[in-house]
Amino acid sequence: MKQECKILILDDDKLVTSSLKSLLNLEGFNDAVIFNSPVNALEYLKNNLRNVIISDFMMEEMNGLEFLSEAKKIYPNASMILLTGYADKENAIKAINDVGLYKYIEKPWDNDELIINIKNAYERANLIERLEKSNKKLRDYSNHLEDMVREKTADILEMNERLSAVINNCADSIIVSDKTGALTEINPAAETLFGMSEDILKTKNIRELFLSQEINWNELLNGTEEKLIREIEAINVVNGKKIPVEINSAFIPAKYETESAHYVFVIRNISFQKEMDRLREDFIATLTHDLRTPSLASIQTLEYFLNGKLGNLSEKQTMLLTTMKKSHEDMLGLVNTLLEVYKYESGRLKLVKTYFKFEPLIEECINQVKTLAESKNQHIEKIFVNLDKSDVIADRNEIRRVIINLLGNAVKYTQENGNIEIKAEIEGKDVRFSVKDNGEGIYKKDIPLLFKRFSQGTQAKRSISTGLGLYLSKQIIDAHKGKIWLESDKNKGSEFFFLLPDSAVVKDEDKVWTV
């Protein structure tokens, strides 16, 4: 189970620390402590682990940069966030490299942006721990693979005929050499990898096939221990390409006095894994830097104009700037959705389950789309059954995302003066929710397409924008071991459902689950 996010908040203004504590509790960050004195905060840190530390800049006892510098000495891997006024921005930027800040956030901040930064800071703070766990898994995998090679090579002479068939049909390249490095056996995959036939390869020495200054071939070809060699390159003579590979080597002792010892090398082409890793890293880097950062900067700049901090605006200027701000917010929403989809698909986003009442959550979501519904003179009918009898145990923030997406679609695709029906029911331990509209509906054969990634329309031309909203909703419900589906037909409207099994409970104690 993943360690909970441990947050420390420091600000000499008690109103600020209290409001931040309440905000974090609402977002599921229940392990947050607040301090109004830097000295007291540092004393606490000496004996208590915190992986995200948030500090105000201007304080009487010491400023935020001085405090974070001291905190960094105690927990060098913690993510440090500085809250700074607009006038302090230049000093914060100047000191960011010296102190090692993760982020500085200008006052007044946007709560959604602050929560995103805290989540990202927590992810960064735990990166080293996750890397260590990954390294352990790799070591375990290596040990397991070496054990498997040892077991296979022990029987290689008595199973020669069978092994030849396996070798010839193996997807990995396999070559056998003697102690001098001369090649004695080559499988077809090795011929493809090196771009040479078996006859030509047998004229080569194994030292000629790879680019690496770190392999001590003399030691390797005179040892008896199995080896796993990573991060080296094989040379394909046909196209001149350097191919990244991993090599597992094993010693094959001589069974009879008339025979000599050999070494078997299993060579795996890891080009695909390398490319996938590169594309994944490029994808995340592009979203977080090239899209999110400028979008946030633009939104903040436009807010300065709209708030009148840079002078009064005419009605027309206000309208244009508001439109620009909405466009940037829509773009940021798309970027955040793409990031959430990536996190679910890569298994990096974990559910944080808490107890909550279902009805207030639904009302909160309805209020978010209410203005748009009223602008279209739509009537929203609510049918709630047994919602007050049990609590729901789920990731409240993620379920809220699903409900808002379904409500938003219903409002968007229902015509003016139309009706939208919301049903929510707790039956036993199951939680059921549905949204029904009286729009045009879609063809039944198009229904499966709506929950696929980047699906943008059907024969009924019912667009779903980027095609990620319903796909992400399905990922969220699937992560809860639930089910989401649609019942619809042309000219009969649509009704979206989701079911959360075993999610209705009677609360007996405060808990947070990380799944």
Side-chain angles (χ1 to χ4, degrees):
M1 182 174 292
K2 188 176 180 180
Q3 184 184 11
E4 296 176 11
C5 181
K6 298 180 180 297
I7 303 173
L8 183 143
I9 305 168
L10 171 63
D11 196 304
D12 54 6
D13 189 332
K14 293 184 179 180
L15 181 61
V16 172
T17 53
S18 176
S19 64
L20 279 174
K21 173 80 170 178
S22 300
L23 173 65
L24 292 173
N25 286 338
L26 287 174
E27 293 294 333
F29 295 95
N30 294 325
D31 194 355
V33 296
I34 60 175
F35 287 91
N36 303 112
S37 165
V39 174
N40 293 340
L42 288 174
E43 282 297 317
Y44 176 86
L45 287 174
K46 291 178 181 178
N47 300 302
N48 297 275
L49 172 66
R50 297 286 101 177
N51 38 41
V52 177
I53 301 174
I54 304 172
S55 173
D56 185 28
F57 182 81
M58 297 300 297
M59 295 178 290
E60 292 184 3
E61 295 181 342
M62 65 176 67
N63 65 44
L65 293 176
E66 294 170 340
F67 167 76
L68 293 177
S69 296
E70 294 300 317
K72 196 75 173 178
K73 296 176 183 177
I74 302 174
Y75 295 115
N77 293 327
S79 293
M80 309 289 179
I81 297 178
L82 181 68
L83 304 178
T84 173
Y86 181 73
D88 304 319
K89 179 177 179 181
E90 182 176 352
N91 290 331
I93 294 174
K94 181 179 179 182
I96 193 167
N97 290 328
D98 297 333
V99 178
L101 294 181
Y102 167 70
K103 196 81 174 181
Y104 73 88
I105 299 175
E106 295 178 305
K107 296 181 179 180
W109 60 78
D110 177 80
N111 284 342
D112 290 338
E113 178 187 353
L114 179 62
I115 293 301
I116 290 173
N117 280 313
I118 291 175
K119 288 182 177 180
N120 290 338
Y122 173 52
E123 190 67 28
R124 173 207 172 273
N126 282 298
L127 179 60
I128 295 177
E129 179 182 350
R130 294 200 301 272
L131 287 175
E132 289 177 352
K133 290 181 179 179
S134 297
N135 287 335
K136 183 179 182 302
K137 289 182 179 179
L138 287 174
R139 288 194 298 269
D140 292 342
Y141 170 77
S142 173
N143 293 334
H144 172 72
L145 191 59
E146 290 176 357
D147 290 341
M148 186 170 63
V149 170
R150 185 182 299 110
E151 293 173 4
K152 295 297 182 183
T153 53
D155 299 326
I156 193 169
L157 293 177
E158 9 180 296
M159 299 177 60
N160 189 50
E161 185 176 344
R162 238 165 147 191
L163 188 57
S164 295
V166 173
I167 290 174
N168 289 334
N169 292 282
C170 183
D172 291 334
S173 301
I174 300 176
I175 58 178
V176 179
S177 80
D178 61 20
K179 285 193 171 186
T180 67
L183 306 186
T184 60
E185 297 291 338
I186 298 102
N187 76 337
E191 295 181 84
T192 302
L193 177 67
F194 297 107
M196 290 181 279
S197 67
E198 180 179 358
D199 292 339
I200 297 176
L201 275 170
K202 285 186 176 180
T203 66
K204 304 290 184 181
N205 190 286
I206 193 170
R207 296 172 175 83
E208 304 175 52
L209 303 180
F210 303 98
L211 288 176
S212 177
Q213 302 296 324
E214 298 180 1
I215 302 177
N216 187 332
W217 288 107
N218 292 331
E219 179 182 335
L220 183 63
L221 295 173
N222 284 282
T224 58
E225 295 183 357
E226 292 82 3
K227 300 287 186 180
L228 175 60
I229 307 168
R230 294 190 176 95
E231 300 297 331
I232 68 171
E233 293 177 323
I235 307 169
N236 186 295
V237 298
V238 173
N239 52 31
K241 287 187 177 180
K242 300 173 184 178
I243 304 169
V245 296
E246 287 181 351
I247 302 177
N248 290 278
S249 70
F251 175 68
I252 308 174
K255 190 171 183 180
Y256 306 104
E257 292 183 359
T258 55
E259 296 179 346
S260 60
H262 284 75
Y263 295 86
V264 60
F265 298 90
V266 180
I267 307 160
R268 174 163 295 175
N269 186 336
I270 59 172
S271 300
F272 180 77
Q273 294 93 317
K274 289 282 187 180
E275 180 64 14
M276 290 302 99
D277 290 342
R278 186 190 67 80
L279 290 175
R280 187 181 295 110
E281 291 173 0
D282 288 350
F283 176 74
I284 294 301
T286 298
L287 286 180
T288 55
H289 183 270
D290 295 345
L291 295 179
R292 288 185 75 252
T293 302
S295 294
L296 287 169
S298 297
I299 291 171
Q300 194 172 53
T301 301
L302 291 169
E303 285 178 347
Y304 276 115
F305 279 103
L306 291 171
N307 291 336
K309 293 183 178 180
L310 300 179
N312 295 327
L313 300 174
S314 67
E315 182 178 349
K316 186 174 182 180
Q317 288 173 327
T318 300
M319 180 183 68
L320 290 173
L321 291 174
T322 301
T323 302
M324 291 174 63
K325 180 172 177 285
K326 179 62 169 60
S327 297
H328 282 287
E329 288 172 343
D330 290 343
M331 179 184 293
L332 183 60
L334 170 59
V335 172
N336 288 333
T337 300
L338 286 169
L339 282 170
E340 294 296 325
V341 167
Y342 167 78
K343 289 178 180 178
Y344 270 104
E345 291 182 338
S346 64
R348 294 177 60 189
L349 188 62
K350 306 299 181 182
L351 299 180
V352 179
K353 292 185 176 182
T354 57
Y355 288 111
F356 61 90
K357 291 294 184 182
F358 201 37
E359 183 173 343
L361 175 62
I362 299 173
E363 294 289 356
E364 178 183 331
C365 297
I366 292 174
N367 288 335
Q368 187 161 335
V369 301
K370 189 174 182 180
T371 301
L372 180 59
E374 289 176 348
S375 68
K376 300 176 71 174
N377 199 28
Q378 295 170 344
H379 174 68
I380 297 178
E381 180 181 0
K382 298 176 288 187
I383 302 175
F384 297 155
V385 180
N386 295 331
L387 298 191
D388 58 340
K389 291 187 175 182
S390 304
D391 289 277
V392 176
I393 180 67
D395 190 317
R396 188 181 190 278
N397 197 43
E398 297 301 314
I399 296 301
R400 177 180 178 273
R401 188 195 303 274
V402 175
I403 295 174
I404 288 177
N405 183 57
L406 297 183
L407 289 178
N409 281 347
V411 172
K412 182 177 181 180
Y413 298 116
T414 299
Q415 299 176 352
E416 292 189 5
N417 303 311
N419 296 316
I420 297 172
E421 182 181 271
I422 301 171
K423 292 182 181 179
E425 180 181 6
I426 291 179
E427 183 176 0
K429 293 184 178 181
D430 296 338
V431 180
R432 183 185 176 101
F433 178 86
S434 68
V435 180
K436 183 178 182 180
D437 64 55
N438 60 353
E440 293 182 359
I442 65 172
Y443 293 106
K444 288 185 177 180
K445 64 181 179 180
D446 289 328
I447 290 176
L449 301 176
L450 292 179
F451 295 100
K452 292 185 177 181
R453 181 172 51 180
F454 300 120
S455 176
Q456 290 185 318
T458 68
Q459 292 186 10
K461 296 182 180 179
R462 183 185 174 98
S463 170
I464 55 171
S465 186
T466 63
L468 290 174
L470 291 176
Y471 175 79
L472 179 58
S473 297
K474 186 177 186 303
Q475 298 296 311
I476 294 172
I477 298 301
D478 287 348
H480 283 81
K481 310 299 182 185
K483 179 183 177 183
I484 185 170
W485 71 97
L486 167 65
E487 294 179 3
S488 180
D489 206 346
K490 184 63 176 172
N491 300 319
K492 293 184 179 180
S494 300
E495 187 169 7
F496 284 89
F497 301 80
F498 71 76
L499 176 69
L500 300 176
D502 298 322
S503 297
V505 294
V506 176
K507 183 178 180 182
D508 55 357
E509 59 180 330
D510 291 326
K511 290 183 178 179
V512 176
W513 282 260
T514 302
V515 181

